[in-house]
Amino acid sequence: MTRNLDIAGRTAAVLCAAAVLTGLTAAPSERPGRFVYVANLHSDTVSVVDTRSGTVVDSVPVGDGPDSAALGPDGSRLYVTDSAADTVSVVDTRTRTVVETVGVGHEPSRVTVSPDNKNVYVANVGAGTVSVISTRTLTVTHTIAVGDAPLGLAVTPDGRTLYVATAGTDSVSVIDTDSGTVTDTLSVGGGPTALALTPDGCHLYVSNLTSDDVSVVDTRARTETDRIPVGDQPAGIGVLPDGSHVHVADLGSDDVSVISTRSRTVTDTVAVGDGPNGLAVAPDGRTVHVSNFDSDTLSVIDTRTSRTTATVPVGDGPTGVTTQQAPR
């Protein structure tokens, strides 16, 4: 979420590591899970965290107010929303440099890439739109009007449907990606912020910032089937690759709620840093990375023990977190 939208008395950019080491050699070709990328809202950088050493190994300058980041399926490009510049920075992950800057709508917040690596979808929270960027031409090919204050994004495994959390209307917009039109609007909890699909695409989990719960949406029936109470101000969310558990960063209670998808209840709560917001699940499902906006750190959670095993000092105001996922 970007700077000028305040849903719960917090700077909205908190929703979704300036690096301690700089000037290192360029990374080898991206391998799933090797690196975690962290958008630093106040440092105007993206930190590159090596998961093997648990340290920040590089810092990439991007545009003003980076809020979220997403890797393409092959890991060669990283797309970063520059919320205060109305642009998306395109980063070559091998050279760790910005190779293009694409103008989008007002206050771009969240970003995701289609499974076929053809399109990048950008939620423009200030404009109430989604920009569609062609990865081939790096230009905006479509602009889709959605509900008020679009934030979280999720694309189905087949790439045919895009879900958009619209925080200002307590709903999720359903977009047909072929036609670029909104085909349905689903009611969920208060202030929907982030989205995560199960690996089979059958269920969508929605973190509701202002109602302190997570909505479960049956994507075939297109209806909310459950609502699970979690911690205070749930923000970032992710599903394990085996679909067994959902992790939710609770911004207001400084912890992560662990939800069983079978029982649809919180089975554990993991203490992390101050103001957890962004969240990324490792490709093998063994770890979850959480950015802590108020303590400028990245927490590493062992999903087998539900305990924080490492805390990595990162940049100023870390928000969005991403890592490349293993091929399906």
Side-chain angles (χ1 to χ4, degrees), residues 9-62:
R10 299 291 299 265
T11 301
V14 169
L15 302 174
C16 243
V20 295
L21 296 176
T22 58
L24 301 186
T25 56
S29 297
E30 177 74 7
R31 296 199 301 275
R34 169 68 189 279
F35 298 105
V36 173
Y37 298 87
V38 185
N40 302 311
L41 185 77
H42 294 154
S43 300
D44 296 340
T45 60
V46 171
S47 295
V48 185
V49 178
D50 187 323
T51 58
R52 296 191 302 185
S53 64
T55 60
V56 176
V57 295
D58 214 343
S59 179
V60 183
V62 290

Coordinates of all heavy atoms in Angstrom, one line a residue, residues 9-62:
G9 N -4.8 4.0 10.3 CA -4.0 4.9 11.1 C -2.5 4.7 10.9 O -1.8 5.2 11.7
R10 N -2.1 3.9 9.9 CA -0.7 3.7 9.7 C -0.4 4.2 8.3 O -1.2 4.3 7.4 CB -0.4 2.2 9.7 CG -0.6 1.5 11.1 CD 0.3 2.0 12.1 NE 1.7 1.7 11.8 CZ 2.3 0.5 12.2 NH1 1.7 -0.3 12.9 NH2 3.5 0.3 11.8
T11 N 0.9 4.5 8.0 CA 1.3 4.9 6.7 C 1.0 3.7 5.8 O 1.5 2.6 6.0 CB 2.8 5.2 6.6 OG1 3.0 6.3 7.5 CG2 3.2 5.6 5.2
A12 N 0.2 3.9 4.8 CA -0.3 2.7 4.0 C 0.8 2.1 3.2 O 0.7 0.9 2.8 CB -1.4 3.2 3.0
A13 N 1.9 2.7 3.0 CA 3.0 2.1 2.3 C 3.6 1.0 3.0 O 4.3 0.1 2.4 CB 4.1 3.2 2.0
V14 N 3.3 0.9 4.3 CA 3.8 -0.2 5.1 C 3.4 -1.5 4.6 O 4.1 -2.6 4.7 CB 3.4 0.0 6.6 CG1 3.7 -1.3 7.4 CG2 4.1 1.1 7.2
L15 N 2.2 -1.5 4.0 CA 1.6 -2.8 3.6 C 2.4 -3.5 2.4 O 2.1 -4.5 2.0 CB 0.2 -2.6 3.2 CG -0.6 -2.0 4.3 CD1 -2.0 -1.7 3.8 CD2 -0.7 -3.0 5.4
C16 N 2.5 -3.9 2.1 CA 3.1 -5.0 1.2 C 4.3 -5.5 1.8 O 4.4 -5.6 2.4 CB 3.4 -4.5 -0.1 SG 2.6 -5.1 -1.4
A17 N 16.9 -4.8 1.8 CA 17.4 -4.8 3.1 C 18.5 -3.8 2.8 O 18.8 -3.4 1.8 CB 17.8 -6.2 3.2
A18 N 18.5 0.0 3.3 CA 19.7 0.1 2.5 C 20.7 -0.9 2.9 O 20.9 -1.1 4.1 CB 20.3 1.5 2.7
A19 N 21.3 -1.6 2.0 CA 22.1 -2.8 2.2 C 23.3 -2.5 3.2 O 23.9 -1.4 3.2 CB 22.6 -3.3 0.9
V20 N 23.7 -3.5 3.9 CA 24.8 -3.4 4.8 C 26.1 -3.7 4.1 O 27.2 -3.4 4.6 CB 24.7 -4.3 6.1 CG1 23.5 -3.8 6.9 CG2 24.5 -5.7 5.7
L21 N 26.0 -4.4 2.9 CA 27.1 -4.7 2.1 C 26.9 -4.2 0.7 O 25.8 -4.4 0.2 CB 27.4 -6.2 2.1 CG 27.8 -6.8 3.4 CD1 27.9 -8.3 3.2 CD2 29.0 -6.3 3.9
T22 N 27.8 -3.5 0.1 CA 27.6 -3.0 -1.2 C 28.9 -3.2 -2.1 O 29.9 -3.6 -1.6 CB 27.4 -1.4 -1.2 OG1 28.5 -0.8 -0.6 CG2 26.1 -1.1 -0.5
G23 N 28.7 -3.0 -3.4 CA 29.9 -3.1 -4.3 C 30.4 -4.5 -4.5 O 31.5 -4.7 -5.0
L24 N 29.6 -5.5 -4.3 CA 30.0 -6.9 -4.5 C 29.8 -7.2 -6.0 O 29.1 -6.5 -6.7 CB 29.3 -7.8 -3.6 CG 29.4 -7.6 -2.1 CD1 28.8 -8.7 -1.3 CD2 30.9 -7.5 -1.7
T25 N 30.3 -8.4 -6.4 CA 30.2 -8.8 -7.8 C 28.8 -9.2 -8.1 O 28.0 -9.5 -7.2 CB 31.1 -10.0 -8.0 OG1 30.8 -11.0 -7.1 CG2 32.6 -9.6 -7.8
A26 N 28.5 -9.1 -9.4 CA 27.1 -9.4 -9.9 C 26.8 -10.9 -9.6 O 27.6 -11.7 -9.5 CB 27.0 -9.1 -11.4
A27 N 25.5 -11.1 -9.4 CA 25.0 -12.4 -9.1 C 25.1 -13.4 -10.3 O 25.0 -12.9 -11.4 CB 23.6 -12.4 -8.6
P28 N 25.2 -14.7 -10.0 CA 25.0 -15.6 -11.1 C 23.6 -15.7 -11.5 O 22.7 -15.0 -10.9 CB 25.5 -16.9 -10.5 CG 25.2 -16.8 -9.0 CD 25.5 -15.3 -8.7
S29 N 23.3 -16.5 -12.5 CA 21.9 -16.6 -13.0 C 21.0 -17.0 -11.8 O 21.4 -17.8 -11.0 CB 21.8 -17.6 -14.1 OG 22.5 -17.2 -15.2
E30 N 19.8 -16.4 -11.8 CA 18.9 -16.6 -10.7 C 18.5 -18.1 -10.5 O 18.1 -18.7 -11.5 CB 17.6 -15.8 -10.9 CG 16.6 -15.9 -9.8 CD 16.9 -15.3 -8.5 OE1 17.9 -14.5 -8.5 OE2 16.2 -15.4 -7.5
R31 N 18.6 -18.6 -9.3 CA 18.1 -20.0 -9.0 C 17.0 -19.9 -8.0 O 17.1 -19.0 -7.1 CB 19.2 -20.8 -8.5 CG 20.4 -21.1 -9.5 CD 21.2 -22.3 -9.1 NE 21.8 -22.1 -7.8 CZ 22.9 -21.5 -7.6 NH1 23.6 -20.9 -8.6 NH2 23.4 -21.5 -6.3
P32 N 16.0 -20.7 -8.2 CA 14.8 -20.6 -7.2 C 15.2 -20.6 -5.8 O 15.9 -21.5 -5.3 CB 14.0 -21.8 -7.6 CG 14.3 -22.1 -9.0 CD 15.8 -21.7 -9.2
G33 N 14.8 -19.6 -5.0 CA 15.1 -19.5 -3.6 C 16.4 -19.1 -3.2 O 16.7 -18.9 -2.0
R34 N 17.4 -18.9 -4.1 CA 18.7 -18.5 -3.7 C 18.8 -17.1 -3.1 O 19.4 -16.8 -2.1 CB 19.7 -18.6 -4.9 CG 21.0 -17.9 -4.7 CD 21.9 -18.7 -3.7 NE 23.1 -18.0 -3.4 CZ 24.2 -17.9 -4.1 NH1 24.3 -18.6 -5.3 NH2 25.3 -17.2 -3.7
F35 N 18.0 -16.2 -3.7 CA 18.0 -14.8 -3.2 C 16.6 -14.3 -2.9 O 15.6 -14.7 -3.5 CB 18.6 -13.8 -4.3 CG 20.0 -14.1 -4.6 CD1 20.3 -14.7 -5.8 CD2 21.0 -13.8 -3.7 CE1 21.6 -15.0 -6.1 CE2 22.3 -14.1 -4.1 CZ 22.7 -14.7 -5.3
V36 N 16.5 -13.5 -1.8 CA 15.3 -12.8 -1.5 C 15.5 -11.3 -1.7 O 16.5 -10.8 -1.4 CB 14.9 -13.1 0.0 CG1 13.7 -12.2 0.4 CG2 14.6 -14.6 0.2
Y37 N 14.5 -10.7 -2.3 CA 14.6 -9.3 -2.7 C 13.6 -8.5 -1.8 O 12.4 -8.9 -1.7 CB 14.2 -9.1 -4.2 CG 15.2 -9.8 -5.1 CD1 15.0 -11.1 -5.5 CD2 16.3 -9.1 -5.6 CE1 15.9 -11.8 -6.3 CE2 17.2 -9.8 -6.4 CZ 17.0 -11.1 -6.8 OH 17.9 -11.8 -7.6
V38 N 14.1 -7.4 -1.3 CA 13.3 -6.6 -0.3 C 13.2 -5.2 -0.8 O 14.3 -4.5 -1.0 CB 13.9 -6.6 1.1 CG1 13.0 -5.9 2.1 CG2 14.1 -8.1 1.6
A39 N 12.0 -4.6 -1.0 CA 11.8 -3.2 -1.4 C 11.9 -2.4 -0.2 O 11.1 -2.6 0.8 CB 10.5 -3.1 -2.1
N40 N 12.8 -1.4 -0.2 CA 13.0 -0.5 1.0 C 12.3 0.9 0.7 O 12.9 1.7 -0.1 CB 14.5 -0.3 1.3 CG 15.2 -1.6 1.5 OD1 14.7 -2.4 2.3 ND2 16.3 -1.8 0.9
L41 N 11.2 1.1 1.2 CA 10.4 2.3 0.9 C 11.1 3.6 1.1 O 11.1 4.5 0.3 CB 9.1 2.3 1.7 CG 8.1 3.4 1.4 CD1 7.3 3.1 0.1 CD2 7.1 3.6 2.5
H42 N 11.8 3.7 2.2 CA 12.5 4.9 2.6 C 13.9 5.1 2.1 O 14.5 6.1 2.2 CB 12.4 5.1 4.1 CG 11.1 5.3 4.6 ND1 10.7 5.0 5.9 CD2 9.9 5.8 4.0 CE1 9.4 5.3 6.1 NE2 8.9 5.7 5.0
S43 N 14.5 3.9 1.6 CA 15.9 4.0 1.1 C 15.9 4.1 -0.4 O 17.0 4.3 -0.9 CB 16.6 2.7 1.5 OG 16.7 2.6 2.9
D44 N 14.8 3.9 -1.1 CA 14.7 3.9 -2.5 C 15.7 2.9 -3.1 O 16.4 3.1 -4.1 CB 15.0 5.3 -3.1 CG 14.0 6.4 -2.7 OD1 12.9 6.0 -2.3 OD2 14.3 7.6 -2.7
T45 N 15.7 1.7 -2.5 CA 16.6 0.6 -3.0 C 15.8 -0.7 -2.8 O 14.8 -0.8 -2.1 CB 17.9 0.5 -2.1 OG1 17.5 0.3 -0.8 CG2 18.7 1.8 -2.3
V46 N 16.4 -1.7 -3.5 CA 16.0 -3.1 -3.3 C 17.2 -3.8 -2.7 O 18.3 -3.8 -3.3 CB 15.5 -3.8 -4.6 CG1 15.3 -5.3 -4.3 CG2 14.2 -3.1 -5.0
S47 N 17.1 -4.5 -1.6 CA 18.1 -5.2 -1.0 C 18.1 -6.7 -1.5 O 17.0 -7.2 -1.6 CB 18.1 -5.2 0.5 OG 18.3 -3.9 1.0
V48 N 19.3 -7.2 -1.7 CA 19.4 -8.6 -2.2 C 19.9 -9.4 -1.0 O 21.1 -9.2 -0.6 CB 20.3 -8.7 -3.4 CG1 20.3 -10.1 -3.9 CG2 19.9 -7.7 -4.5
V49 N 19.2 -10.4 -0.5 CA 19.6 -11.2 0.6 C 19.9 -12.6 0.1 O 19.1 -13.2 -0.6 CB 18.4 -11.3 1.7 CG1 18.9 -12.2 2.8 CG2 18.1 -9.9 2.2
D50 N 21.1 -13.1 0.4 CA 21.5 -14.4 0.0 C 21.0 -15.3 1.1 O 21.4 -15.2 2.3 CB 23.1 -14.5 0.0 CG 23.6 -15.8 -0.6 OD1 23.0 -16.9 -0.2 OD2 24.6 -15.8 -1.3
T51 N 20.2 -16.3 0.7 CA 19.5 -17.1 1.7 C 20.5 -18.2 2.3 O 20.3 -18.7 3.4 CB 18.3 -17.9 1.2 OG1 18.8 -18.7 0.0 CG2 17.3 -16.9 0.7
R52 N 21.6 -18.4 1.6 CA 22.6 -19.4 2.2 C 23.4 -18.8 3.3 O 23.6 -19.4 4.3 CB 23.5 -19.9 1.0 CG 22.8 -20.7 0.0 CD 23.7 -21.3 -1.0 NE 24.6 -20.4 -1.6 CZ 25.5 -20.7 -2.6 NH1 25.6 -21.9 -3.0 NH2 26.3 -19.8 -3.1
S53 N 23.8 -17.5 3.1 CA 24.6 -16.8 4.1 C 23.8 -16.0 5.1 O 24.2 -15.7 6.2 CB 25.7 -15.9 3.5 OG 25.0 -14.9 2.8
G54 N 22.5 -15.7 4.7 CA 21.7 -14.9 5.6 C 22.1 -13.5 5.7 O 21.9 -12.9 6.8
T55 N 22.7 -13.0 4.7 CA 23.2 -11.6 4.7 C 22.8 -10.8 3.4 O 22.5 -11.4 2.4 CB 24.8 -11.5 4.7 OG1 25.3 -12.2 3.6 CG2 25.3 -12.2 6.0
V56 N 22.8 -9.5 3.5 CA 22.5 -8.7 2.4 C 23.8 -8.6 1.6 O 24.9 -8.2 2.1 CB 22.1 -7.2 2.8 CG1 21.9 -6.3 1.6 CG2 20.8 -7.3 3.6
V57 N 23.7 -9.0 0.3 CA 24.9 -9.0 -0.5 C 24.9 -7.9 -1.6 O 26.0 -7.7 -2.3 CB 25.1 -10.3 -1.2 CG1 25.3 -11.5 -0.2 CG2 23.8 -10.7 -2.1
D58 N 23.9 -7.1 -1.7 CA 23.9 -6.0 -2.7 C 22.6 -5.1 -2.4 O 21.7 -5.5 -1.7 CB 23.8 -6.6 -4.1 CG 24.6 -5.7 -5.1 OD1 24.9 -4.5 -4.7 OD2 24.9 -6.1 -6.2
S59 N 22.7 -3.9 -3.0 CA 21.6 -3.0 -2.9 C 21.5 -2.3 -4.2 O 22.4 -1.8 -4.8 CB 21.9 -1.9 -1.8 OG 20.9 -1.0 -1.7
V60 N 20.2 -2.4 -4.8 CA 20.0 -1.8 -6.1 C 19.2 -0.6 -6.0 O 18.0 -0.6 -5.5 CB 19.2 -2.9 -6.9 CG1 19.0 -2.4 -8.4 CG2 19.9 -4.2 -7.0
P61 N 19.7 0.6 -6.4 CA 18.9 1.8 -6.4 C 17.8 1.7 -7.5 O 18.0 1.3 -8.6 CB 19.9 2.9 -6.9 CG 21.3 2.3 -6.6 CD 21.1 0.8 -6.9
V62 N 16.6 2.1 -7.0 CA 15.4 2.1 -7.9 C 14.8 3.5 -7.8 O 15.4 4.5 -7.4 CB 14.5 1.0 -7.6 CG1 15.1 -0.4 -8.0 CG2 14.1 1.0 -6.1

